[in-house]
Amino acid sequence: MSYLQRPTLCLVIHIGCCCCYLLQSKGLDVDTLFISHIQVNKAMQQRRRTYRAHGRINPYMSSPCHVELTLSEKESNVKGEAEESAQRKPSKAQRAKLLRSGAKA
């Protein structure tokens, strides 16, 4: 992991922890949540000055970003009665075969 990737990863982990604490305080179940969307956008670059020896001035730039994190609850998949009792339709080839053999399609 490079030097530049580490602070970004720490920031994302920190945002996730903050989300967990916020959701626990609201009474939601944190175990059923997952990250459904995450987006990082570049923000406007900030300019400052750094004063050097012999009266020189150099730019001191920072590159901030906006992090957008969306959490969603996992839905439990429960099979309904209609799905269990529904029979599969025969394909075109199977229907043609049934018609040739004299069976009712």
Side-chain angles (χ1 to χ4, degrees):
M1 184 181 319
S2 73
Y3 173 74
L4 295 174
Q5 290 174 340
R6 187 178 178 143
T8 308
L9 183 62
C10 292
L11 175 71
V12 171
I13 290 171
H14 178 70
I15 291 172
C17 291
C18 290
C19 288
C20 288
Y21 292 133
L22 180 68
L23 294 171
Q24 285 175 351
S25 68
K26 290 188 174 189
L28 296 171
D29 187 18
V30 181
D31 295 333
T32 61
L33 297 175
F34 68 100
I35 298 173
S36 60
H37 175 75
I38 187 165
Q39 181 176 349
V40 180
N41 292 329
K42 199 175 184 181
M44 190 173 171
Q45 198 169 25
Q46 298 174 343
R47 296 180 67 97
R48 293 188 285 173
R49 292 179 180 170
T50 181
Y51 297 95
R52 308 286 303 263
H54 307 293
R56 292 178 296 150
I57 299 173
N58 285 356
Y60 192 70
M61 310 293 280
S62 66
S63 302
C65 64
H66 301 291
V67 179
E68 182 179 313
L69 185 72
T70 306
L71 299 174
S72 300
E73 282 187 320
K74 292 179 184 174
E75 295 180 10
S76 60
N77 295 332
V78 179
K79 289 186 179 180
E81 290 180 22
E83 292 178 11
E84 292 175 359
S85 63
Q87 290 181 355
R88 211 171 149 189
K89 283 181 151 182
S91 67
K92 265 189 173 180
Q94 290 172 341
R95 281 185 287 180
K97 192 175 186 180
L98 287 172
L99 285 173
R100 277 184 292 211
S101 66
K104 200 172 187 182

XYZ file of all heavy atoms in Angstrom:
826
model
N 0.845 -1.166 0.000
C 0.000 0.000 0.000
C 0.897 1.238 0.000
O 1.813 1.347 0.792
C -0.900 -0.027 1.242
C -1.877 1.091 1.282
S -2.953 1.135 2.736
C -3.383 -0.516 3.024
N 0.632 2.163 -0.902
C 1.475 3.343 -1.000
C 1.129 4.353 0.095
O 0.114 4.239 0.785
C 1.321 3.989 -2.372
O 0.069 4.623 -2.468
N 1.969 5.334 0.216
C 1.804 6.358 1.250
C 0.515 7.156 1.042
O -0.158 7.528 1.986
C 3.012 7.297 1.247
C 2.844 8.477 2.165
C 2.933 8.317 3.543
C 2.579 9.748 1.663
C 2.771 9.400 4.390
C 2.419 10.819 2.503
C 2.510 10.646 3.870
O 2.341 11.698 4.707
N 0.156 7.397 -0.226
C -1.028 8.201 -0.515
C -2.319 7.417 -0.331
O -3.359 7.996 -0.058
C -0.951 8.750 -1.937
C 0.176 9.740 -2.187
C 0.232 10.096 -3.660
C 0.010 10.978 -1.342
N -2.301 6.113 -0.485
C -3.510 5.318 -0.348
C -3.898 5.125 1.115
O -5.070 4.988 1.429
C -3.320 3.952 -0.996
C -3.233 4.011 -2.496
C -2.891 2.665 -3.099
O -2.366 1.795 -2.413
N -3.161 2.502 -4.373
N -2.946 5.124 2.006
C -3.221 4.836 3.406
C -4.137 5.870 4.076
O -5.106 5.494 4.719
C -1.914 4.693 4.168
C -2.132 4.233 5.565
C -0.831 4.037 6.294
N -1.116 3.629 7.642
C -0.422 2.767 8.308
N 0.612 2.208 7.742
N -0.743 2.444 9.520
N -3.891 7.195 3.944
C -4.797 8.151 4.567
C -6.217 8.069 4.015
O -7.194 8.244 4.756
C -4.180 9.510 4.251
C -2.773 9.250 3.928
C -2.727 7.874 3.371
N -6.357 7.786 2.719
C -7.677 7.670 2.113
C -8.418 6.473 2.694
O -9.613 6.565 3.016
C -7.545 7.523 0.589
O -6.724 8.570 0.104
C -8.882 7.576 -0.079
N -7.741 5.353 2.848
C -8.356 4.164 3.419
C -8.771 4.411 4.865
O -9.864 4.025 5.277
C -7.385 2.988 3.336
C -7.903 1.647 3.839
C -9.096 1.203 3.013
C -6.812 0.618 3.790
N -7.919 5.091 5.618
C -8.261 5.420 7.010
C -9.484 6.318 7.071
O -10.336 6.168 7.955
C -7.079 6.079 7.710
S -5.689 4.973 7.971
N -9.599 7.243 6.132
C -10.757 8.133 6.083
C -12.046 7.357 5.817
O -13.060 7.578 6.479
C -10.552 9.193 4.993
C -11.714 10.131 4.743
C -11.868 11.095 5.906
C -11.532 10.878 3.453
N -12.018 6.433 4.870
C -13.208 5.639 4.544
C -13.604 4.756 5.730
O -14.787 4.624 6.049
C -12.963 4.801 3.269
C -14.084 3.817 3.035
C -12.791 5.710 2.070
N -12.629 4.158 6.410
C -12.918 3.339 7.593
C -13.529 4.198 8.694
O -14.493 3.799 9.360
C -11.643 2.621 8.077
C -11.249 1.549 7.070
C -11.843 2.010 9.454
C -9.890 0.929 7.320
N -12.997 5.404 8.869
C -13.524 6.318 9.889
C -14.968 6.719 9.572
O -15.818 6.757 10.467
C -12.642 7.566 9.974
C -13.122 8.575 10.954
N -13.071 8.358 12.316
C -13.682 9.791 10.779
C -13.584 9.417 12.934
N -13.956 10.293 12.010
N -15.272 6.980 8.302
C -16.639 7.327 7.904
C -17.580 6.157 8.169
O -18.703 6.334 8.638
C -16.675 7.754 6.424
C -15.977 9.090 6.256
C -18.095 7.835 5.905
C -15.792 9.508 4.820
N -17.129 4.924 7.885
C -17.947 3.740 8.154
C -18.240 3.566 9.634
O -19.366 3.245 10.020
N -17.236 3.808 10.491
C -17.446 3.714 11.943
C -18.429 4.772 12.421
O -19.299 4.490 13.255
C -16.120 3.856 12.679
S -15.011 2.477 12.441
N -18.301 5.983 11.886
C -19.227 7.055 12.263
C -20.658 6.704 11.864
O -21.603 6.967 12.608
C -18.811 8.371 11.622
S -17.304 9.059 12.310
N -20.813 6.098 10.679
C -22.149 5.682 10.236
C -22.734 4.638 11.176
O -23.925 4.687 11.511
C -22.083 5.121 8.822
S -21.801 6.343 7.554
N -21.900 3.679 11.607
C -22.374 2.632 12.519
C -22.850 3.224 13.839
O -23.918 2.866 14.344
C -21.282 1.602 12.768
S -20.961 0.554 11.364
N -22.079 4.144 14.402
C -22.467 4.768 15.671
C -23.748 5.584 15.515
O -24.616 5.571 16.381
C -21.340 5.653 16.204
C -20.127 4.877 16.629
C -18.862 5.264 16.240
C -20.245 3.738 17.423
C -17.743 4.554 16.623
C -19.129 3.012 17.805
C -17.887 3.426 17.408
O -16.777 2.720 17.785
N -23.876 6.277 14.395
C -25.064 7.083 14.145
C -26.305 6.201 14.021
O -27.365 6.503 14.581
C -24.866 7.915 12.877
C -26.011 8.815 12.461
C -26.178 9.938 13.482
C -25.761 9.395 11.093
N -26.168 5.086 13.301
C -27.308 4.186 13.115
C -27.682 3.470 14.408
O -28.859 3.221 14.669
C -26.998 3.181 12.008
C -26.854 3.796 10.618
C -26.327 2.779 9.633
C -28.169 4.366 10.150
N -26.690 3.129 15.238
C -26.987 2.504 16.530
C -27.729 3.472 17.436
O -28.634 3.083 18.159
C -25.704 2.036 17.206
C -25.123 0.788 16.605
C -23.785 0.417 17.218
O -23.204 1.175 17.980
N -23.286 -0.769 16.865
N -27.359 4.751 17.379
C -28.047 5.734 18.216
C -29.481 5.952 17.759
O -30.342 6.321 18.552
C -27.292 7.061 18.217
O -27.353 7.653 16.945
N -29.755 5.705 16.476
C -31.121 5.823 15.957
C -31.919 4.541 16.143
O -33.099 4.497 15.830
C -31.098 6.192 14.480
C -30.629 7.613 14.233
C -30.806 7.986 12.795
C -30.466 9.449 12.605
N -30.824 9.920 11.282
N -31.277 3.478 16.631
C -31.978 2.230 16.906
C -32.099 1.287 15.728
O -32.927 0.387 15.742
N -31.292 1.453 14.709
C -31.340 0.562 13.548
C -30.364 -0.598 13.724
O -29.390 -0.500 14.459
C -30.989 1.333 12.281
C -31.969 2.436 11.894
C -31.404 3.256 10.749
C -33.294 1.844 11.481
N -30.642 -1.712 13.041
C -29.800 -2.902 13.132
C -28.624 -2.755 12.168
O -28.805 -2.709 10.950
C -30.621 -4.149 12.796
C -29.843 -5.417 13.040
O -28.838 -5.357 13.777
O -30.235 -6.462 12.508
N -27.429 -2.686 12.706
C -26.230 -2.461 11.900
C -25.817 -3.735 11.163
O -25.206 -3.672 10.097
C -25.085 -1.951 12.801
C -23.824 -1.691 12.003
C -25.507 -0.676 13.512
N -26.171 -4.907 11.682
C -25.741 -6.175 11.074
C -26.378 -6.422 9.708
O -25.838 -7.166 8.897
C -26.066 -7.334 12.008
C -25.270 -7.249 13.302
O -24.168 -6.667 13.269
O -25.756 -7.750 14.332
N -27.535 -5.816 9.446
C -28.219 -6.049 8.172
C -27.843 -5.027 7.115
O -28.369 -5.053 6.017
C -29.740 -6.002 8.363
O -30.101 -4.707 8.853
C -30.203 -7.073 9.323
N -26.908 -4.127 7.414
C -26.545 -3.071 6.474
C -25.331 -3.452 5.637
O -24.470 -4.194 6.083
C -26.254 -1.774 7.224
C -27.418 -1.168 7.989
C -26.947 0.022 8.777
C -28.527 -0.769 7.053
N -25.293 -2.937 4.423
C -24.128 -3.094 3.561
C -23.955 -1.808 2.754
O -24.882 -1.004 2.630
C -24.269 -4.306 2.630
C -25.330 -4.155 1.582
C -24.985 -3.804 0.291
C -26.663 -4.371 1.880
C -25.959 -3.666 -0.681
C -27.644 -4.234 0.924
C -27.286 -3.872 -0.364
N -22.770 -1.593 2.227
C -22.493 -0.396 1.436
C -23.028 -0.628 0.030
O -22.509 -1.445 -0.720
C -20.985 -0.084 1.398
C -20.469 0.195 2.802
C -20.704 1.084 0.477
C -18.972 0.350 2.889
N -24.087 0.091 -0.319
C -24.675 -0.084 -1.643
C -24.069 0.873 -2.666
O -24.108 0.612 -3.857
C -26.188 0.113 -1.583
O -26.487 1.412 -1.125
N -23.510 1.992 -2.189
C -22.940 2.964 -3.117
C -21.862 3.759 -2.399
O -22.058 4.175 -1.261
C -24.040 3.910 -3.606
C -23.560 5.028 -4.473
N -23.188 4.839 -5.779
C -23.389 6.339 -4.214
C -22.807 6.005 -6.278
N -22.919 6.931 -5.352
N -20.739 3.951 -3.045
C -19.688 4.806 -2.514
C -19.104 5.580 -3.686
O -18.882 5.028 -4.760
C -18.609 4.011 -1.750
C -17.638 4.959 -1.073
C -17.899 3.033 -2.632
C -16.771 4.299 -0.032
N -18.934 6.886 -3.470
C -18.444 7.743 -4.543
C -17.542 8.806 -3.937
O -17.864 9.394 -2.921
C -19.620 8.396 -5.253
C -19.247 9.291 -6.387
C -20.470 9.834 -7.110
O -21.582 9.388 -6.888
N -20.257 10.796 -7.955
N -16.422 9.050 -4.585
C -15.482 10.080 -4.140
C -15.327 11.069 -5.280
O -14.986 10.698 -6.401
C -14.113 9.470 -3.774
C -13.155 10.551 -3.325
C -14.275 8.422 -2.691
N -15.619 12.338 -4.973
C -15.503 13.398 -5.974
C -14.396 14.360 -5.588
O -14.146 14.594 -4.407
C -16.815 14.180 -6.096
C -17.918 13.353 -6.688
O -17.671 12.477 -7.501
N -19.137 13.618 -6.279
N -13.766 14.924 -6.574
C -12.711 15.898 -6.352
C -13.340 17.237 -5.979
O -14.288 17.691 -6.632
C -11.913 16.031 -7.648
C -10.568 16.621 -7.512
C -9.868 16.554 -8.862
C -8.468 17.060 -8.759
N -7.792 17.030 -10.054
N -12.838 17.869 -4.927
C -13.335 19.182 -4.516
C -12.433 20.265 -5.086
O -11.380 19.985 -5.680
C -13.377 19.267 -2.997
N -12.843 21.496 -4.887
C -12.064 22.623 -5.387
C -10.718 22.685 -4.670
O -10.655 22.573 -3.453
C -12.843 23.913 -5.155
C -12.271 25.103 -5.814
S -13.420 26.452 -5.611
C -12.436 27.773 -6.212
N -9.653 22.884 -5.434
C -8.313 22.896 -4.872
C -8.103 24.171 -4.052
O -8.504 25.254 -4.469
C -7.276 22.794 -5.979
C -5.930 22.376 -5.512
C -5.008 22.021 -6.667
O -5.189 22.501 -7.770
N -4.039 21.186 -6.389
N -7.503 24.026 -2.895
C -7.273 25.162 -2.009
C -5.827 25.632 -2.146
O -4.914 24.824 -2.238
C -7.567 24.769 -0.565
C -9.004 24.374 -0.352
C -9.248 23.838 1.040
O -8.317 23.477 1.738
N -10.495 23.786 1.435
N -5.640 26.946 -2.120
C -4.303 27.530 -2.272
C -3.936 28.279 -1.003
O -4.718 29.069 -0.497
C -4.276 28.506 -3.443
C -4.521 27.873 -4.778
C -4.477 28.931 -5.862
N -3.141 29.495 -6.013
C -2.265 29.106 -6.922
N -2.565 28.126 -7.740
N -1.085 29.679 -7.016
N -2.746 28.011 -0.524
C -2.168 28.789 0.579
C -0.729 29.123 0.206
O -0.216 28.642 -0.796
C -2.199 27.983 1.876
C -3.612 27.744 2.378
C -3.595 27.117 3.738
N -3.225 25.702 3.627
C -2.996 24.913 4.659
N -3.079 25.380 5.881
N -2.681 23.664 4.492
N -0.095 29.918 1.028
C 1.295 30.279 0.775
C 2.188 29.745 1.866
O 1.798 29.712 3.020
C 1.442 31.796 0.740
C 0.783 32.449 -0.422
C 0.992 33.931 -0.329
N 0.365 34.603 -1.448
C 0.229 35.899 -1.538
N 0.655 36.681 -0.561
N -0.331 36.437 -2.589
N 3.352 29.329 1.465
C 4.374 28.976 2.445
C 5.564 29.914 2.212
O 5.973 30.135 1.077
C 4.786 27.497 2.351
O 5.744 27.216 3.328
C 5.315 27.116 0.999
N 6.022 30.505 3.284
C 7.087 31.506 3.197
C 8.429 30.820 3.402
O 8.628 30.094 4.364
C 6.855 32.610 4.228
C 5.569 33.348 3.960
C 4.400 32.992 4.603
C 5.540 34.374 3.032
C 3.223 33.651 4.335
C 4.365 35.049 2.757
C 3.205 34.689 3.412
O 2.042 35.339 3.143
N 9.356 31.033 2.484
C 10.648 30.372 2.478
C 11.744 31.381 2.812
O 11.490 32.577 3.008
C 10.921 29.774 1.094
C 9.826 28.891 0.519
C 9.749 27.538 1.191
N 10.982 26.809 1.132
C 11.280 25.885 0.240
N 10.404 25.559 -0.679
N 12.440 25.275 0.272
N 12.946 30.883 2.864
C 14.093 31.739 3.164
C 14.355 32.727 2.030
O 13.969 32.484 0.881
C 15.322 30.873 3.399
N 14.986 33.801 2.329
C 15.399 34.831 1.375
C 14.204 35.476 0.667
O 14.283 35.865 -0.494
C 16.389 34.272 0.333
C 17.549 33.580 0.956
N 18.515 34.256 1.697
C 17.908 32.270 0.973
C 19.401 33.374 2.132
N 19.070 32.169 1.707
N 13.051 35.538 1.350
C 11.902 36.252 0.813
C 11.135 35.532 -0.272
O 10.307 36.128 -0.956
N 11.374 34.245 -0.436
C 10.655 33.498 -1.468
C 9.305 33.025 -0.930
O 9.149 32.750 0.258
C 11.469 32.291 -1.921
C 12.724 32.680 -2.667
C 13.522 31.479 -3.061
N 13.984 30.787 -1.861
C 14.193 29.474 -1.783
N 13.962 28.714 -2.814
N 14.631 28.933 -0.687
N 8.340 32.898 -1.809
C 7.008 32.398 -1.453
C 6.673 31.270 -2.424
O 6.771 31.439 -3.640
C 5.942 33.497 -1.555
C 6.260 34.635 -0.594
C 4.562 32.931 -1.259
C 5.362 35.830 -0.738
N 6.275 30.116 -1.876
C 5.894 28.972 -2.707
C 4.432 28.624 -2.446
O 3.911 28.872 -1.356
C 6.760 27.757 -2.386
C 8.144 27.880 -2.962
O 8.452 28.837 -3.662
N 8.986 26.909 -2.666
N 3.767 28.036 -3.441
C 2.377 27.621 -3.208
C 2.324 26.411 -2.279
O 3.208 25.556 -2.290
C 1.872 27.262 -4.601
C 3.077 26.948 -5.379
C 4.188 27.778 -4.808
N 1.298 26.375 -1.470
C 1.062 25.266 -0.543
C -0.343 24.789 -0.859
O -1.332 25.341 -0.392
C 1.197 25.771 0.888
C 1.267 24.695 1.921
C 2.377 23.870 2.027
C 0.225 24.507 2.823
C 2.447 22.889 2.986
C 0.294 23.525 3.788
C 1.405 22.730 3.868
O 1.471 21.748 4.822
N -0.444 23.775 -1.738
C -1.729 23.354 -2.284
C -2.281 22.163 -1.500
O -1.533 21.337 -1.001
C -1.568 22.939 -3.742
C -0.835 23.932 -4.606
S -1.723 25.431 -4.831
C -2.843 24.933 -6.088
N -3.607 22.103 -1.407
C -4.248 20.922 -0.829
C -5.337 20.463 -1.795
O -5.953 21.271 -2.488
C -4.840 21.222 0.540
O -5.899 22.135 0.427
N -5.551 19.166 -1.861
C -6.527 18.585 -2.782
C -7.599 17.848 -1.981
O -7.511 16.635 -1.782
C -5.836 17.617 -3.735
O -4.820 18.283 -4.440
N -8.636 18.548 -1.510
C -9.687 17.885 -0.734
C -10.631 17.094 -1.639
O -10.592 17.215 -2.869
C -10.414 19.047 -0.066
C -10.194 20.197 -0.970
C -8.851 19.981 -1.608
N -11.478 16.294 -1.021
C -12.437 15.496 -1.775
C -13.746 15.395 -0.999
O -13.798 15.629 0.202
C -11.888 14.109 -2.067
S -11.611 13.130 -0.601
N -14.815 15.055 -1.714
C -16.130 14.801 -1.116
C -16.373 13.301 -1.180
O -16.270 12.702 -2.248
C -17.232 15.519 -1.883
C -17.067 16.999 -1.945
N -17.200 17.813 -0.848
C -16.775 17.813 -2.982
C -17.009 19.072 -1.211
N -16.742 19.096 -2.503
N -16.702 12.692 -0.050
C -16.967 11.253 0.001
C -18.451 11.052 0.250
O -19.014 11.585 1.204
C -16.136 10.572 1.110
C -16.441 9.087 1.161
C -14.661 10.799 0.885
N -19.088 10.269 -0.613
C -20.516 9.974 -0.496
C -20.659 8.478 -0.248
O -20.179 7.658 -1.032
C -21.201 10.365 -1.802
C -22.680 10.166 -1.827
C -23.250 10.608 -3.160
O -22.915 11.702 -3.636
O -24.024 9.809 -3.730
N -21.313 8.121 0.848
C -21.445 6.723 1.253
C -22.918 6.436 1.501
O -23.567 7.143 2.271
C -20.632 6.491 2.527
C -20.522 5.100 3.076
C -19.628 4.263 2.178
C -19.925 5.135 4.458
N -23.464 5.423 0.845
C -24.869 5.052 1.006
C -24.950 3.643 1.556
O -24.367 2.718 0.993
C -25.609 5.122 -0.348
O -25.414 6.410 -0.911
C -27.087 4.875 -0.162
N -25.664 3.489 2.662
C -25.873 2.179 3.283
C -27.306 1.729 3.026
O -28.228 2.536 3.060
C -25.615 2.254 4.787
C -24.214 2.668 5.209
C -24.148 2.847 6.710
C -23.208 1.651 4.763
N -27.502 0.446 2.790
C -28.824 -0.128 2.575
C -28.964 -1.388 3.408
O -27.978 -2.014 3.777
C -29.036 -0.469 1.107
O -28.920 0.682 0.319
N -30.226 -1.754 3.681
C -30.486 -2.980 4.438
C -30.598 -4.153 3.482
O -31.130 -4.022 2.380
C -31.782 -2.851 5.235
C -31.645 -2.043 6.481
C -32.897 -2.091 7.320
O -33.995 -2.039 6.764
O -32.758 -2.179 8.552
N -30.105 -5.297 3.917
C -30.242 -6.514 3.132
C -31.683 -6.990 3.257
O -32.251 -7.008 4.336
C -29.321 -7.611 3.644
C -27.864 -7.327 3.432
C -27.019 -8.452 3.981
C -25.556 -8.114 3.860
N -24.713 -9.103 4.513
N -32.245 -7.383 2.128
C -33.609 -7.896 2.142
C -33.551 -9.413 2.230
O -32.783 -10.061 1.534
C -34.341 -7.472 0.876
C -34.529 -5.972 0.775
C -35.260 -5.584 -0.481
O -35.781 -6.478 -1.169
O -35.304 -4.388 -0.769
N -34.389 -9.960 3.082
C -34.423 -11.416 3.192
C -35.305 -11.960 2.075
O -36.406 -11.485 1.839
C -34.975 -11.840 4.555
O -36.280 -11.336 4.722
N -34.792 -12.943 1.370
C -35.533 -13.550 0.262
C -36.383 -14.692 0.780
O -35.867 -15.722 1.199
C -34.570 -14.057 -0.806
C -33.815 -12.929 -1.450
O -34.317 -11.820 -1.505
N -32.616 -13.203 -1.933
N -37.698 -14.503 0.757
C -38.632 -15.524 1.198
C -39.433 -15.955 -0.021
O -40.029 -15.135 -0.713
C -39.583 -14.969 2.291
C -40.563 -16.028 2.716
C -38.786 -14.455 3.462
N -39.445 -17.253 -0.292
C -40.187 -17.756 -1.438
C -41.685 -17.728 -1.130
O -42.125 -18.176 -0.086
C -39.777 -19.183 -1.760
C -38.398 -19.289 -2.352
C -38.118 -20.694 -2.779
C -36.745 -20.785 -3.395
N -36.439 -22.153 -3.815
N -42.422 -17.191 -2.062
C -43.870 -17.149 -1.913
C -44.491 -18.433 -2.426
O -43.857 -19.264 -3.078
N -45.773 -18.618 -2.137
C -46.466 -19.819 -2.596
C -46.586 -19.843 -4.114
O -46.537 -20.892 -4.738
C -47.852 -19.873 -1.965
C -47.833 -20.144 -0.483
C -49.233 -20.188 0.093
O -50.182 -20.432 -0.677
O -49.359 -19.994 1.289
N -46.740 -18.683 -4.722
C -46.889 -18.618 -6.172
C -45.616 -19.076 -6.877
O -45.675 -19.751 -7.904
C -47.234 -17.203 -6.598
N -44.465 -18.741 -6.322
C -43.205 -19.143 -6.943
C -42.975 -20.646 -6.822
O -42.455 -21.275 -7.721
C -42.044 -18.390 -6.310
C -42.037 -16.911 -6.604
C -40.901 -16.202 -5.912
O -40.009 -16.882 -5.383
O -40.912 -14.966 -5.888
N -43.367 -21.214 -5.692
C -43.138 -22.646 -5.481
C -44.045 -23.492 -6.368
O -43.637 -24.520 -6.895
C -43.369 -22.990 -4.012
C -42.336 -22.406 -3.088
C -42.667 -22.668 -1.633
O -43.716 -23.290 -1.366
O -41.891 -22.245 -0.782
N -45.310 -23.059 -6.530
C -46.264 -23.889 -7.264
C -46.219 -23.641 -8.774
O -46.795 -24.407 -9.536
C -47.681 -23.625 -6.754
O -48.033 -22.275 -7.000
N -45.571 -22.571 -9.196
C -45.522 -22.267 -10.631
C -44.682 -23.315 -11.350
O -43.583 -23.629 -10.943
C -44.930 -20.880 -10.854
N -45.261 -23.838 -12.447
C -44.533 -24.830 -13.223
C -43.877 -24.144 -14.407
O -44.361 -23.139 -14.907
C -45.480 -25.908 -13.717
C -45.995 -26.787 -12.599
C -46.905 -27.864 -13.142
O -47.207 -27.882 -14.329
N -47.332 -28.750 -12.269
N -42.794 -24.725 -14.839
C -42.042 -24.157 -15.935
C -42.737 -24.459 -17.253
O -43.203 -25.575 -17.491
C -40.660 -24.783 -15.934
C -39.623 -23.888 -16.445
C -38.274 -24.483 -16.202
N -37.407 -24.040 -17.266
C -36.216 -24.478 -17.477
N -35.725 -25.408 -16.715
N -35.493 -24.007 -18.449
N -42.829 -23.456 -18.130
C -43.439 -23.639 -19.444
C -42.489 -24.426 -20.337
O -41.280 -24.224 -20.279
C -43.697 -22.292 -20.091
C -44.886 -21.564 -19.573
C -45.002 -20.263 -20.340
C -46.409 -19.816 -20.445
N -46.516 -18.572 -21.229
N -43.026 -25.288 -21.187
C -42.148 -25.999 -22.120
C -41.655 -25.046 -23.204
O -42.351 -24.111 -23.599
C -43.041 -27.084 -22.712
C -44.428 -26.644 -22.447
C -44.393 -25.761 -21.250
N -40.449 -25.290 -23.680
C -39.872 -24.453 -24.729
C -40.549 -24.756 -26.062
O -41.354 -25.690 -26.179
C -38.372 -24.685 -24.825
O -38.135 -25.997 -25.289
N -40.219 -23.976 -27.090
C -40.815 -24.177 -28.414
C -40.497 -25.563 -28.955
O -41.348 -26.244 -29.525
C -40.286 -23.126 -29.377
C -41.143 -21.922 -29.527
C -40.606 -21.078 -30.672
C -41.550 -19.937 -30.952
N -41.077 -19.097 -32.043
N -39.242 -25.976 -28.762
C -38.830 -27.284 -29.275
C -39.586 -28.401 -28.551
O -40.023 -29.381 -29.180
C -37.334 -27.463 -29.099
N -39.791 -28.254 -27.238
C -40.505 -29.271 -26.482
C -41.979 -29.311 -26.879
O -42.581 -30.387 -26.980
C -40.369 -29.006 -24.987
C -38.971 -29.250 -24.447
C -38.825 -28.790 -23.008
O -39.621 -27.995 -22.520
N -37.782 -29.281 -22.353
N -42.574 -28.131 -27.119
C -43.981 -28.103 -27.544
C -44.153 -28.751 -28.920
O -45.109 -29.482 -29.159
C -44.484 -26.661 -27.585
C -44.822 -26.130 -26.208
C -45.418 -24.772 -26.297
N -44.332 -23.842 -26.640
C -44.460 -22.550 -26.801
N -45.641 -21.993 -26.689
N -43.439 -21.795 -27.095
N -43.203 -28.485 -29.829
C -43.281 -29.093 -31.167
C -43.166 -30.607 -31.071
O -43.874 -31.347 -31.762
C -42.179 -28.526 -32.052
N -42.296 -31.069 -30.194
C -42.122 -32.518 -30.005
C -43.398 -33.144 -29.448
O -43.813 -34.234 -29.863
C -40.947 -32.747 -29.049
C -40.463 -34.156 -28.977
C -39.238 -34.213 -28.094
C -38.615 -35.571 -28.099
N -37.437 -35.660 -27.247
N -44.034 -32.437 -28.487
C -45.282 -32.940 -27.912
C -46.392 -32.993 -28.961
O -47.182 -33.935 -29.001
C -45.723 -32.058 -26.735
C -44.908 -32.180 -25.444
C -45.328 -31.112 -24.449
C -45.103 -33.569 -24.843
N -46.459 -31.975 -29.823
C -47.486 -31.938 -30.857
C -47.288 -33.063 -31.890
O -48.243 -33.673 -32.360
C -47.482 -30.586 -31.572
C -48.093 -29.433 -30.780
C -47.890 -28.125 -31.516
C -49.575 -29.667 -30.523
N -46.005 -33.357 -32.224
C -45.736 -34.425 -33.176
C -46.093 -35.791 -32.607
O -46.540 -36.676 -33.300
C -44.257 -34.437 -33.548
C -43.938 -33.419 -34.636
C -42.532 -33.548 -35.016
N -41.778 -33.087 -33.827
C -40.611 -32.494 -33.846
N -39.990 -32.334 -34.965
N -40.043 -32.095 -32.766
N -45.932 -35.940 -31.282
C -46.236 -37.229 -30.662
C -47.741 -37.382 -30.407
O -48.194 -38.461 -30.049
C -45.475 -37.388 -29.354
O -45.925 -36.442 -28.401
N -48.511 -36.311 -30.591
C -49.968 -36.417 -30.427
C -50.449 -35.986 -29.066
O -51.641 -36.052 -28.777
N -49.585 -35.567 -28.180
C -50.007 -35.133 -26.850
C -50.568 -33.715 -26.933
O -50.309 -32.961 -27.875
C -48.825 -35.158 -25.884
N -51.357 -33.370 -25.935
C -51.974 -32.045 -25.894
C -50.996 -31.062 -25.261
O -50.473 -31.307 -24.192
C -53.258 -32.117 -25.078
C -54.198 -31.015 -25.340
C -55.502 -31.274 -24.633
C -56.536 -30.248 -25.022
N -57.766 -30.442 -24.324
N -50.753 -29.908 -25.919
C -49.796 -28.943 -25.408
C -50.414 -27.970 -24.455
O -51.465 -27.576 -24.416
C -49.162 -28.172 -26.536
